[in-house]
Structure formats: structure tokens, C-alpha cells
């Protein structure tokens, strides 16, 4: 339904889902208040147990027994296991007593319960003297995004504040590596391996490569069989999901030492799965690589590894891809390899918008990224040596006498075979933000004026 149009007023659409959304908002508020009250009550329950245990100066086992007792009492009310209740009491004590600023931010609905759990997890092991600083910075991080997206930033924040180096803590943690089995329902069990991150990433990568090889081989066999027999007598394509293939191959590797069924070369000769090796991509600073500091390196995907492991891996490779990172945006702006990174592609697509030949409007998503100075001739994979060109103008640059050079800030200067020069400025978005000294930033329609200063950060 819509409201009647009044004199000089706009028509206002009223969503039919408004009442349901409002009801859900009220329910969320109730859940929030209940969660806060529950954590506060559990923390007080834990304090009460500790006070009772220490009333006569008794500590140690008596404290644990008192906590077990009150946990069992609370479990009866909640109809849950006493072990789970005792864990909840421990967690509540940690949140309320060790992270009071975070608890207050949650109480004020600036962050969510998921944020609180993420902060507590990231802060595990931090010294007491830096926890307050960590809380304040962590809240600022959490206020910017949902909990699942801020976990890497929280881990990095905690790492910067920790008094012990990541390398030292990794050596200690690596001593706890193990394999566990948890039996589940329907004849299934979970096998959990706690191993160094670089080993885990390598294991998953190798299993994925092997799984893809199996799928490719089975698909090829099925296609060949279908071609030879129109009735479809060929072997059907492998229908297992990648998760199923990884699980099956892991079992083969552990129990048989090699994939038991290897279809990559057929039944008349040995297959090639055993030759597949894991690939692990690591980003490490020059200072850490040379041993000047013990800062952690990063495995592509967001996990951290210790400096010793990064240096050990570095000693086993003969080729390097050197990245230069913008210190503000954390986006790679140059890399030694030919292909730009995903983040560089995203930045260039936003900058160029379309083919950068004068007058061409073909969208960047339908263009190719071109090295203005050819990579083979020494041109760097740098955002200021890359630009989008459609296939037509990319080929023209390669095979005719048209020349192009970048004059800075993403501006291109084209020279025709007759010597005429055409300047191709960085496209200005139709809607952008400008500085208004009389008030806050405001949006306006682009005027087609000169491009902003996009000078490289180094």
C-alpha cells in the first residue's frame, strides 16, 4: 500500500513486511538482554563458588569441587550437562572480569555476543598489562563489521600487542600437536589433527589437487565410453563431491600409503596422484626473512605462521614473487610475477571502468589487463603499468604503430602512427565525494574535470 500524494510531497511506499521486521527487532532486543543477564548471572555464580571455597582459606581442589557443584545445580535448571555449564561459567568469568570494557560495549549493543567471543578467543594468552589496550582497539575493529569478518584483524591486533614473539609461542604450541577421534552417529567419526598451519594448508591443497585429478580422469573416461557406445555403456562420471573425494583420498593415504584407486592413467600402468605435491603460498617481509625480527608470516587465506617456518620454506624455493604493499589500503600495487593479484585487478577495474583507448567505452569487465610496457621487455606488474584494453585495441597496440605510455596517476598518453597525441584521463565516477569545507562530505555528480591525484605511495 502507499500513502496518498499530498501537495508537493513524494509518494511513500510502506513495506508489507514492516510489522514482521519490527517484531523481529523486538525479539532481538529481548534475546540480547537475556544473554547479557545470563552471562552476568553465570559470572556471579562462579564468583560465589570461589568465595565459598576460599572462605576457610582452602584452595585448589576445593575450588574446583565447588564450581562443579554449582554447575551441576545450574545444569538442572537449564536442562544441560554440568560440564557444559561449568565451561559457560568459566567463559562468563573471563568476559565479565577480564574484559569489562568489551562486556560494557556488548551491553550497550555496540557489538554482538559473537564479537565478544571473537575478542576473547583472539586475546587468549595476552598479558594482563596490555589487555585494556587490546579491548579498546578490538571494540573499534568489531564496530566496523560482523564477527566472522573481523577475526583475522583481531588476531593480528593481539599479535602486535603480545610480549612474546609469535615464533616462541608457536614452538610451545607445536609440542601439543596430536590426532583425535570423536565418534558420532550413524557409524561416522571425526578425525581431528592439530598440526602447524603450514602443514594443514599443504595437506588440504594436496588432497584438493588429487581430488580434482580423480574427477577429471573419471569424467574423461565417461566421455570416451559414451562416444564409443551410444547406449551409455561407458563408466559413469565420478559423482562424488570434492569434500567426499578429499575424505576418501585421505583415508587411502593414511591406510595404504598411496591412493588405492588411482584412475589418472588407467589400469595398465601406475597413476600420477602420488606425484602431486602440495603448494603453500606464504607472504613474508624482508626483515623477517633476514632474521631482523620474529614477526609472523601469512599463509594465503589469512592464517599466520611463525618466522622460523617461513624462513625454512624460503630456503627450499628458487623463485620469489616480490610484492609491494600500499601501507594505507594494504593492497598490492606491484608484484614481480606476470599476473596481477586479485586485489590489484579489483582496484584497476574500479579505476579504469572501461577500455582506456580514447573514445572506447567497452566495460572493463569485458576487457583485458595490459602491461603498458611489456612484461617481457622489463615492464613491472604495477598498477601504474597496467590498464584495461578491449581485445580490439589491445591487438592494435601490439600489431600496429600506435604507442601508449603512462604519465602518472593512471593517465595514458596515446601517440598515433601520424604522431598525434591523445590524452586519456582516469575516468571520473558519475557520483563521487568531494570536500565541502562548510560541512560534512557530500556526494555530487562528476563534472568531468581533471582526475584526482593518484600518485603511487612510494
Amino acid at each position: 500500500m502507499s500513502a496518498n500524494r499530498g501537495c508537493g510531497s513524494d509518494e511513500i511506499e510502506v513495506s508489507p513486511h514492516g510489522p514482521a521486521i519490527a517484531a523481529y527487532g523486538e525479539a532481538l532486543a529481548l534475546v540480547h538482554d537475556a544473554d547479557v543477564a545470563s552471562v552476568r548471572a553465570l559470572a556471579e555464580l562462579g564468583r560465589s563458588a570461589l568465595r565459598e571455597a576460599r572462605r576457610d582459606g582452602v584452595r585448589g581442589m576445593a575450588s574446583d569441587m565447588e564450581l562443579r557443584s554449582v554447575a551441576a545445580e545450574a545444569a538442572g535448571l537449564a536442562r544441560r550437562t554440568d560440564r557444559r555449564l561449568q565451561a559457560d561459567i568459566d567463559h562468563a568469568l573471563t568476559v565479565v572480569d577480564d574484559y569489562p570494557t568489551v562486556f560494557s560495549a556488548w551491553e550497550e549493543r555496540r557489538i554482538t555476543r559473537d564479537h565478544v567471543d571473537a575478542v576473547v578467543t583472539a586475546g587468549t594468552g595476552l598479558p594482563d598489562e596490555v589487555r585494556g589496550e587490546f579491548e579498546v582497539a578490538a571494540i573499534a575493529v568489531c564496530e566496523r563489521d560482523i564477527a566472522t569478518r573481523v577475526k583475522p584483524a583481531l588476531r593480528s591486533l593481539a599479535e602486535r600487542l603480545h610480549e612474546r614473539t609469535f615464533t616462541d609461542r608457536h614452538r610451545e604450541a607445536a609440542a601439543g600437536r596430536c590426532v583425535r577421534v570423536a565418534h558420532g552417529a550413524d557409524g561416522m567419526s571425526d578425525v581431528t589433527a592439530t598440526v602447524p598451519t603450514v602443514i594443514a594448508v599443504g595437506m588440504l591443497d594436496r588432497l584438493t589437487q588429487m581430488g580434482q585429478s580423480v574427477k577429471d580422469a573419471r569424467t574423461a573416461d565417461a566421455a570416451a565410453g559414451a562416444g564409443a557406445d551410444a547406449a551409455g555403456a561407458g563408466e559413469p562420471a565420478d559423482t562424488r563431491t570434492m569434500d567426499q573425494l578429499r575424505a576418501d583420498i585421505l583415508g587411502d593415504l593414511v591406510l595404504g600409503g598411496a591412493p588405492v584407486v588411482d584412475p589418472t592413467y588407467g589400469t595398465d600402468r601406475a597413476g600420477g596422484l602420488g606425484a602431486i605435491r602440495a603448494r603453500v603460498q606464504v607472504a613474508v617481509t624482508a626483515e623477517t626473512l633476514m632474521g631482523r625480527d620474529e614477526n609472523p608470516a601469512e599463509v594465503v587465506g589469512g592464517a599466520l605462521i611463525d618466522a622460523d617456518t617461513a624462513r625454512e620454506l624460503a630456503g627450499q624455493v628458487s623463485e620469489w614473487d616480490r610484492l609491494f604493499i600500499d601501507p594505507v589500503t594494504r593492497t598490492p600495487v606491484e608484484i614481480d610475477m606476470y599476473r596481477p593479484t586479485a586485489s590489484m585487478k579489483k582496484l584497476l577495474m574500479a579505476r579504469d571502468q572501461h577500455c582506456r583507448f580514447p573514445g572506447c567505452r567497452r566495460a572493463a569487465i569485458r576487457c583485458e589487463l595490459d602491461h603498458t610496457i611489456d612484461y617481457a621487455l622489463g615492464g613491472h606488474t604495477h598498477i601504474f603499468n597496467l590498464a584495461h584494453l578491449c581485445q580490439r585495441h589491445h591487438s592494435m597496440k601490439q600489431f600496429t604503430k600506435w604507442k601508449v605510455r603512462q604519465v602518472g596517476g593512471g593517465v595514458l598518453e596515446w601517440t598515433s602512427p601520424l604522431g598525434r597525441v591523445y590524452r586519456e584521463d582516469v575516468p571520473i565516477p558519475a557520483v563521487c565525494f568531494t570536500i565541502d569545507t562548510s560541512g560534512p562530505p557530500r556526494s555530487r555528480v562528476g563534472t568531468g574535470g581533471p582526475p584526482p591525484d593518484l600518485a603511487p605511495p612510494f
Side-chain angles (χ1 to χ4, degrees):
M1 60 179 291
S2 61
N4 293 330
R5 183 188 296 273
C7 180
S9 64
D10 294 330
E11 187 175 4
I12 301 175
E13 293 289 340
V14 178
S15 171
H17 310 302
I21 292 295
Y24 181 61
E26 293 174 0
L28 287 178
L30 291 173
V31 170
H32 170 266
D33 292 341
D35 282 345
V36 170
S38 177
V39 169
R40 185 183 286 109
L42 286 174
E44 180 55 35
L45 187 60
R47 294 194 203 99
S48 177
L50 293 174
R51 285 195 299 267
E52 182 64 22
R54 296 171 181 174
R55 185 178 57 176
D56 298 324
V58 181
R59 298 174 181 268
M61 181 63 74
S63 297
D64 185 60
M65 289 297 105
E66 197 66 34
L67 280 171
R68 291 186 189 185
S69 177
V70 297
E73 187 76 38
L77 292 175
R79 303 183 68 178
R80 302 170 69 187
T81 67
D82 59 322
R83 288 184 177 86
R84 180 61 183 273
L85 249 297
Q86 187 168 349
D88 288 346
I89 291 173
D90 290 339
H91 183 67
L93 284 168
T94 300
V95 172
V96 176
D97 294 343
D98 296 343
Y99 294 87
T101 307
V102 170
F103 182 71
S104 295
W106 175 37
E107 191 173 18
E108 296 164 3
R109 302 193 71 173
R110 293 163 54 197
I111 61 177
T112 68
R113 180 168 189 165
D114 290 340
H115 283 122
V116 174
D117 294 340
V119 171
V120 171
T121 299
T124 301
L126 274 179
D128 293 343
E129 54 269 22
V130 301
R131 189 174 293 128
E133 180 182 355
F134 173 69
E135 281 192 274
V136 174
I139 291 170
V141 171
C142 290
E143 288 178 323
R144 294 197 297 264
D145 213 332
I146 62 175
T148 54
R149 291 183 176 179
V150 301
K151 290 179 180 178
L154 293 175
R155 288 196 298 267
S156 297
L157 174 62
E159 166 57 31
R160 291 197 300 271
L161 295 174
H162 210 290
E163 61 179 3
R164 296 179 60 202
T165 66
F166 189 93
T167 299
D168 287 342
R169 286 180 283 126
H170 171 74
R171 289 171 182 161
E172 182 177 312
R177 60 191 181 276
C178 61
V179 177
R180 298 177 298 277
V181 175
H183 300 299
D186 303 322
M188 301 298 289
S189 295
D190 293 326
V191 179
T192 303
T194 300
V195 296
T197 295
V198 69
I199 301 298
V201 172
M203 289 168 61
L204 183 63
D205 180 79
R206 190 178 185 215
L207 290 172
T208 301
Q209 291 186 67
M210 288 180 163
Q212 190 59 55
S213 294
V214 171
K215 289 186 74 71
D216 292 345
R218 290 283 175 81
T219 300
D221 289 345
D229 186 351
E235 184 178 354
D238 198 315
T239 59
R240 286 178 292 178
T241 66
M242 183 56 71
D243 281 338
Q244 291 170 338
L245 281 167
R246 281 191 287 247
D248 294 346
I249 293 171
L250 176 62
D252 285 349
L253 290 172
V254 174
L255 298 176
V260 176
V261 179
D262 186 349
T264 58
Y265 282 91
T267 58
D268 58 338
R269 52 180 167 161
L273 292 191
I276 293 176
R277 291 295 177 263
R279 301 165 300 185
V280 180
Q281 185 177 349
V282 177
V284 57
T285 66
E287 288 79 6
T288 301
L289 196 61
M290 292 185 290
R292 294 179 180 174
D293 62 45
E294 293 298 318
N295 292 330
E298 182 179 11
V299 174
V300 171
L304 300 177
I305 64 171
D306 63 291
D308 279 348
T309 299
R311 287 190 284 262
E312 182 179 351
L313 291 173
Q316 300 174 10
V317 298
S318 58
E319 295 182 359
W320 293 84
D321 295 329
R322 183 175 54 173
L323 284 80
F324 293 89
I325 308 295
D326 186 312
V328 177
T329 65
R330 308 299 297 168
T331 299
V333 294
E334 184 173 357
I335 187 171
D336 280 348
M337 64 188 299
Y338 174 73
R339 296 187 182 278
T341 65
S343 55
M344 292 172 73
K345 292 178 182 177
K346 185 176 180 181
L347 184 151
L348 289 165
M349 190 171 294
R351 184 197 73 179
D352 292 346
Q353 300 184 43
H354 51 68
C355 171
R356 297 299 306 284
F357 186 82
C360 185
R361 301 293 298 174
R362 184 171 290 272
I365 58 175
R366 294 191 290 274
C367 295
E368 304 164 349
L369 269 177
D370 169 65
H371 286 75
T372 305
I373 301 175
D374 287 352
Y375 183 79
L377 299 178
H380 295 289
T381 304
H382 188 296
I383 59 173
F384 297 102
N385 188 48
L386 293 166
H388 283 89
L389 296 179
C390 67
Q391 196 279 329
R392 173 187 175 88
H393 294 123
H394 194 177
S395 298
M396 193 174 72
K397 170 180 175 287
Q398 288 180 292
F399 301 112
T400 73
K401 294 183 178 181
W402 276 88
K403 305 295 181 185
V404 62
R405 71 187 186 97
Q406 299 219 21
V407 297
V411 177
L412 272 59
E413 193 174 82
W414 288 85
T415 303
S416 75
L418 298 179
R420 293 189 175 91
V421 176
Y422 301 88
R423 178 185 170 102
E424 171 71 5
D425 286 333
V426 175
I428 295 180
V431 177
C432 58
F433 285 90
T434 59
I435 300 300
D436 184 354
T437 57
S438 63
R442 57 185 176 85
S443 63
R444 67 168 175 83
V445 177
T447 61
D453 181 11
L454 293 178
F458 55 85

